[in-house]
């Protein structure tokens, strides 16, 4: 038997378990590093906030669009090989971040190649844990890997902020590559897990799923960057989604292999759980882009200060998820989900009026604690709730759908919140400029034209440097307009997580009318994915 195997009653292979947990830690912490490093990346690469935000959203989108395909690739080429290729994809992205001299390298290697790596890594890791451990050891490894993901989400902003501020954001990503190299050094400990099912590939379904998710989010990103054919891209995504549903149903009736089994959605618990997962991630994506930008571009915090300011959100989410998971007792999961979305709505609702008044991150502490507590309740319940009605032989496929829905929600939240922010910035700046009594008509036209070409969120320091050649009165007026419009744009961006939370509340009321899910031991193997 291989060193990695652990039959029931056999001692746990601690080294292999630790290496798998390290791989999951890198997977989760990666985006946190990028979020708290936005201003440093913008400055060092002489790029834009919206460009970096687009890269963050694109990475989540690629992962979402290809995770179902990645699962099938692992079935066909071997789960161990897919795991290695996924790690190499992530390593490529980390090395590219370490060496990048422009935004293009980040988009190609970190967002696209790294996103493809994630789409291979998650499903293959789940299969490898299931095949290399069993009995009590398997449960311990699933718990360890899940805990690693939670800890990464909690400490990521602090870790990334510290390294970026006192060393460099490039060092943070170089350390990622080192961790992946350590994980790969122990690859001989893993035995491959053969796939014995149908090896047929639903190519059309795979293409349609990628087009559906990709078209919608790419349309939003193109809109954000002021590009053309926005409606066409979103239309392609919407049409592809409708066609995908019809395609899957028709192939299922014909008894042919499908990318995902549409019968999964016959379960009301699964349907509502997947939709809640997506809404939670939309809210989280909106917060993940709005708050770091506010802290770094409005308050002009460095990465360390931004990470510390975000700590109430991430640490409360981690703590409440841990407590709720262990002490839920006889409380209904639907009630906890309802409370989670309610806390999220209250917290975001409190953030919106605070943003224009906040002079430091301390203003955000209480709202972020409330939002984090709400997200923690959701994290503690939604995976188990969603996957509980699924039989053991189909739980891996269902977990893939759940992960894809969550990743799509995250990418949509990141993209749409950024687009709302820049759209509100352009509208507000134009309105204020046109109403100014200090700027003459030529200057007003110049500002409007610049916004049409490239609306960007700038710190006061950046804007002052840009206006160095302008008369003092013009400088003061444009800085004043920027200081007034910028917080309002961020308030508009925060409306997205607020609306997602309200929709989650409505959905949670539906959950309360459904029966509680029955315990399902197979879900433990899918919860971290």
């Amino acid at each position: 038997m291989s060193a990695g195997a652990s039959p029931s009653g056999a001692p746990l292979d601690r080294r292999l378990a630790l290496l798998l947990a390290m791989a999951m830690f890198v997977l989760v912490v990666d985006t946190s590093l990028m979020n708290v490093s936005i201003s440093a990346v913008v400055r060092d690469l002489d790029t834009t906030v919206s460009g970096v935000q687009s890269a963050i959203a694109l990475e989540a989108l690629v992962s979402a669009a290809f995770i179902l395909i990645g699962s099938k690739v692992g079935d066909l080429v071997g789960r161990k090989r897919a795991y290695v290729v996924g790690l190499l994809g992530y390593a490529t992205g980390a090395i590219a971040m370490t060496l990048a001299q422009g935004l293009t390298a980040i988009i190609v290697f970190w967002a696209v190649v790294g996103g493809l790596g994630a789409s291979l890594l998650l499903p293959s890791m789940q299969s490898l844990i299931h095949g290399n451990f069993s009995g009590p050891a398997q449960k311990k490894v699933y718990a360890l890997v899940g805990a690693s993901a939670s800890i990464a989400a909690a400490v990521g902003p602090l870790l990334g902020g510290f390294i970026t501020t006192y060393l460099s954001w490039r060092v943070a990503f170089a350390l990622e590559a080192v961790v992946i190299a350590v994980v790969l050094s122990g690859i001989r400990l893993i035995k491959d897990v053969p796939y014995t099912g149908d090896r047929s590939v639903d190519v059309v379904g795979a293409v349609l799923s990628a087009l559906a998710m990709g078209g919608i989010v790419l349309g939003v990103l193109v809109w954000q960057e002021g590009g053309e054919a926005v409606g066409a891209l979103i239309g392609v995504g919407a049409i592809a989604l409708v066609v995908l549903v019809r395609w899957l149903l028709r192939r299922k009736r014909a008894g042919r292999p499908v990318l995902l089994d549409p019968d999964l959605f016959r379960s009301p618990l699964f349907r509502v759980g997947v939709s809640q997962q997506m809404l939670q991630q939309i809210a989280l994506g909106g917060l993940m882009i709005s708050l770091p930008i506010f802290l770094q571009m409005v308050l002009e915090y460095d990465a360390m200060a931004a990470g510390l300011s975000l700590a109430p959100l991430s640490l409360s989410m981690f703590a409440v998820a841990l407590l709720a998971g262990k002490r839920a007792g006889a409380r209904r999961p639907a009630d906890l989900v309802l409370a989670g979305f309610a806390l999220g709505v209250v917290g975001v609702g409190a953030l919106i009026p605070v943003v224009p008044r906040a002079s430091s991150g301390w203003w955000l502490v209480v709202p972020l604690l409330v939002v984090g507590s709400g997200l923690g309740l959701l994290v503690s319940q939604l995976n188990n709730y969603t996957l509980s009605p699924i039989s053991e032989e189909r739980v891996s496929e269902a977990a893939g759908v759940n992960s894809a829905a969550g990743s799509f929600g995250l990418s949509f939240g990141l993209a749409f919140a950024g687009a709302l922010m820049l759209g509100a910035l352009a509208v507000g700046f134009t309105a204020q400029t046109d109403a100014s009594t200090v700027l003459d008509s030529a200057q007003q036209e110049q500002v409007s034209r610049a916004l049409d070409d490239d609306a960007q969120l700038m710190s006061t320091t950046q804007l002052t440097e840009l206006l160095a050649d302008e008369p003092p009165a013009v400088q003061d007026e444009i800085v004043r307009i920027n200081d007034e419009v910028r917080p309002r744009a961020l308030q508009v961006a925060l409306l997205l997580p607020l609306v997602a939370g309200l929709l989650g509340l409505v959905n949670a009321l539906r959950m309360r009318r459904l029966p509680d899910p029955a315990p399902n031991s197979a879900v433990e193997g899918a919860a971290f994915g």
Side-chain angles (χ1 to χ4, degrees):
M1 182 175 293
S2 90
S6 181
S8 181
L12 173 67
D13 188 333
R14 297 184 183 279
R15 184 183 172 194
L16 176 56
L18 179 61
L19 291 173
L20 289 165
M22 288 169 65
M24 178 56 75
F25 185 91
V26 168
L27 188 70
V28 175
V29 84
D30 185 70
T31 301
S32 293
L33 297 180
M34 193 64 153
N35 283 332
V36 297
S37 304
I38 288 175
S39 61
V41 174
V42 168
R43 181 178 60 252
D44 291 355
L45 299 186
D46 192 26
T47 185
T48 63
V49 172
S50 67
V52 176
Q53 180 263 327
S54 295
I56 295 172
L58 186 62
E59 195 268 352
L61 169 63
V62 171
S63 175
F66 290 95
I67 195 166
L68 295 176
I69 302 170
S71 178
K72 190 62 179 179
V73 169
D75 293 343
L76 296 177
V77 306
R79 276 66 177 268
K80 183 175 180 178
R81 186 173 297 170
Y83 177 73
V84 171
V85 173
L87 285 170
L88 290 175
Y90 242 70
T92 299
I95 293 170
M97 290 297 294
T98 306
L99 303 175
Q101 299 302 309
L103 185 62
T104 302
I106 292 177
I107 289 174
V108 172
F109 295 106
W110 182 78
V112 176
V113 176
L116 289 172
S119 71
L120 288 170
L121 194 56
L122 271 174
S124 62
M125 185 183 298
Q126 179 177 306
S127 297
L128 289 173
I129 293 175
H130 190 78
N132 282 262
F133 301 91
S134 61
Q138 186 184 90
K139 291 185 178 181
K140 288 180 181 179
V141 177
Y142 277 130
L144 177 65
V145 174
S148 176
S150 298
I151 292 169
V155 305
L158 293 171
L159 182 64
F162 179 85
I163 296 174
T164 298
T165 299
Y166 297 109
L167 297 171
S168 167
W169 60 274
R170 296 182 187 275
V171 172
F173 287 99
L175 290 174
E176 267 194 31
V178 171
V179 172
I180 293 171
V182 172
V183 173
L184 286 170
S185 71
I187 198 66
R188 60 182 174 78
L189 297 174
I190 299 178
K191 70 168 185 177
D192 204 355
V193 180
Y195 176 69
T196 57
D198 192 331
R199 303 182 70 84
S200 303
V201 180
D202 181 6
V203 176
V204 174
V207 171
L208 287 172
S209 70
L211 283 176
M213 288 185 273
I216 292 170
V217 176
L218 283 176
V220 174
L221 290 175
V222 170
W223 170 44
Q224 173 185 293
E225 295 296 326
E228 299 178 353
V230 173
L233 282 170
I234 295 176
V236 166
I239 292 169
L241 182 61
V242 173
V243 175
L244 173 63
V245 172
R246 295 175 64 87
W247 172 261
L248 294 176
L249 290 171
R250 190 173 69 180
R251 283 187 60 99
K252 176 69 176 180
R253 285 195 298 267
R256 303 181 67 186
V258 290
L259 178 69
L260 62 96
D261 189 346
D263 285 349
L264 288 171
F265 292 92
R266 292 185 183 277
S267 166
L269 295 180
F270 184 77
R271 286 200 306 270
V272 75
V274 166
S275 63
Q276 292 291 66
Q277 186 81 265
M278 186 169 63
L279 288 170
Q280 175 209 353
Q281 292 297 319
I282 289 174
L284 182 60
L287 291 169
M288 281 175 60
I289 201 64
S290 302
L291 294 175
I293 287 176
F294 171 75
L295 293 165
Q296 295 174 74
M297 306 307 296
V298 176
L299 299 185
E300 300 198 41
Y301 277 6
D302 61 23
M304 186 71 234
L308 286 170
S309 298
L310 292 171
L313 174 68
S314 57
L315 294 178
S316 62
M317 182 169 66
F318 172 65
V320 171
L322 191 64
L323 290 172
K326 290 183 176 180
R327 300 185 180 180
R331 295 178 181 87
R332 296 189 65 199
D335 289 340
L336 294 176
V337 171
L338 181 66
F341 276 111
L343 287 172
V345 168
V346 170
V348 176
L351 275 174
I352 291 175
V354 162
V355 163
R357 299 169 176 81
S359 56
S360 74
W362 288 104
W363 286 69
L364 309 182
V365 170
V366 174
L368 290 184
L369 285 172
V370 175
V371 175
S373 298
L375 290 172
L377 286 175
L378 298 177
V379 168
S380 73
Q381 301 299 313
L382 281 179
N383 273 321
N384 285 336
Y385 184 95
T386 305
L387 301 179
S388 60
I390 308 302
S391 61
E392 182 170 359
E393 62 269 17
R394 301 173 66 194
V395 74
S396 179
E397 180 185 15
V401 176
N402 194 38
S403 294
S407 296
F408 171 75
L410 182 66
S411 64
F412 182 83
L414 289 164
F416 200 62
L420 287 174
M421 182 170 54
L422 289 179
L425 183 74
V427 170
F429 220 113
T430 299
Q432 290 271 38
T433 301
D434 291 344
S436 174
T437 58
V438 175
L439 304 177
D440 59 35
S441 58
Q443 291 165 335
Q444 291 173 356
E445 184 180 349
Q446 182 181 3
V447 170
S448 297
R449 188 165 56 248
L451 284 171
D452 287 339
D453 291 341
D454 193 20
Q456 295 298 335
L457 194 71
M458 291 189 181
S459 67
T460 300
T461 300
Q462 288 174 312
L463 191 59
T464 301
E465 292 173 356
L466 190 66
L467 298 170
D469 296 333
E470 298 294 333
V474 172
Q475 290 185 36
D476 292 343
E477 179 69 357
I478 293 180
V479 168
R480 178 193 68 78
I481 293 173
N482 186 59
D483 288 344
E484 288 187 13
V485 171
R486 192 174 47 191
R488 293 177 191 169
L490 287 161
Q491 284 179 304
V492 171
L494 287 172
L495 291 176
L496 179 65
L498 182 66
V499 171
L502 289 170
L503 292 174
L505 271 176
V506 174
N507 236 2
L509 294 174
R510 289 178 54 211
M511 291 173 68
R512 296 184 73 193
R513 294 195 294 268
L514 296 172
D516 290 336
N520 185 347
S521 60
V523 170
E524 293 185 49
F528 69 81

